[in-house]
Amino acid sequence: KRLALYGTGRTGIIPDEICRMTSLQELSLGKNDLKGPIPSCLGDLKQLRFLAAHTNGLTGSIPPELCKCTDLVALEFGKNTLDGKLPSCLGKLTKLDYLSLGDNTISGDFPQELAALTNMKILLCDGNMLTGDPTSVLTSWPDLDRVYADNNNFTGVIDDKFLVNSTLLRWLDLSHNNLTTADGLPGHLLKLSS
């Protein structure tokens, strides 16, 4: 049910044979030297709850087939060379509470469908080329703890409704984007604990 190959010096591609392990719940491939695309057949692992393949050399886009893994709680693809758009169908992963995509070259609009991820606690999408207005999506996540969305091309207006119900929020980084404020930073954001 668990395959942990974190930091084991693995090279090459992610083998399709992993997709035959249909009872797999946790797949940890982070901090290796894996190359090539994320296999779309990983979407066949319907019981998967945790998928980590961060800190590798993975290329290509995030396959929309992963949206079939509706039990996913954590998805971690940060620090690769992934590109393409963020699949809007990720909004179907309603159990997801951790999404790490930082330090890639993912582009396109931040999908509004992600507003359905109401269990989201931690979002890391910094250091990409994402566009659009993420403010309404972020505001729809009441249990947010941390957001790293700096160094993108986001646009939008931060107003007094932005994250007003996110009382658990401890860290928010939206720097180096094209976001503006309506009348200065809302007071509730100035009270973030450090």
Side-chain angles (χ1 to χ4, degrees):
K1 297 215 176 188
R2 180 175 189 225
L3 180 59
L5 299 172
Y6 177 87
T8 54
R10 300 280 177 209
T11 60
I13 62 169
I14 300 174
D16 286 344
E17 288 77 17
I18 287 178
C19 302
R20 293 191 202 130
M21 303 172 75
T22 54
S23 62
L24 205 59
Q25 292 181 343
E26 294 184 24
L27 179 57
S28 177
L29 303 171
K31 213 166 185 185
N32 283 293
D33 193 24
L34 296 169
K35 308 284 187 210
I38 300 166
S40 59
C41 65
L42 290 179
D44 296 335
L45 303 177
K46 302 287 191 320
Q47 296 181 40
L48 203 59
R49 294 178 43 79
F50 177 84
L51 174 55
H54 61 90
T55 321
N56 279 291
L58 298 175
T59 57
S61 57
I62 297 171
E65 288 81 0
L66 287 179
C67 299
K68 297 188 291 185
C69 301
T70 54
D71 282 339
L72 272 173
V73 174
L75 190 55
E76 196 169 358
F77 288 131
K79 298 185 180 176
N80 280 288
T81 50
L82 297 173
D83 57 21
K85 295 185 176 184
L86 202 52
S88 59
C89 64
L90 290 177
K92 295 178 182 177
L93 305 179
T94 55
K95 295 179 182 177
L96 204 64
D97 68 14
Y98 180 85
L99 181 59
S100 171
L101 306 168
D103 297 320
N104 283 288
T105 55
I106 299 168
S107 59
D109 281 354
F110 193 71
Q112 296 301 301
E113 291 84 352
L114 299 186
L117 305 179
T118 55
N119 291 311
M120 186 62 65
K121 291 180 177 61
I122 299 174
L123 171 68
L124 297 93
C125 64
D126 52 307
N128 281 288
M129 297 185 293
L130 291 164
T131 57
D133 184 350
T135 58
S136 63
V137 173
L138 296 176
T139 299
S140 68
W141 298 342
D143 296 330
L144 267 179
D145 177 67
R146 282 174 274 166
V147 175
Y148 297 85
D150 53 289
N151 292 291
N152 279 287
N153 296 309
F154 287 132
T155 56
V157 177
I158 296 173
D159 59 19
D160 59 351
K161 293 181 181 84
F162 179 62
L163 298 175
V164 70
N165 294 319
S166 298
T167 56
L168 304 175
L169 189 64
R170 291 186 303 148
W171 186 265
L172 174 65
D173 190 349
L174 297 170
S175 62
H176 304 287
N177 281 291
N178 297 309
L179 296 162
T180 59
T181 58
D183 294 311
L185 272 179
H188 62 277
L189 293 181
L190 298 173
K191 296 176 186 173
L192 287 178
S193 60
S194 53

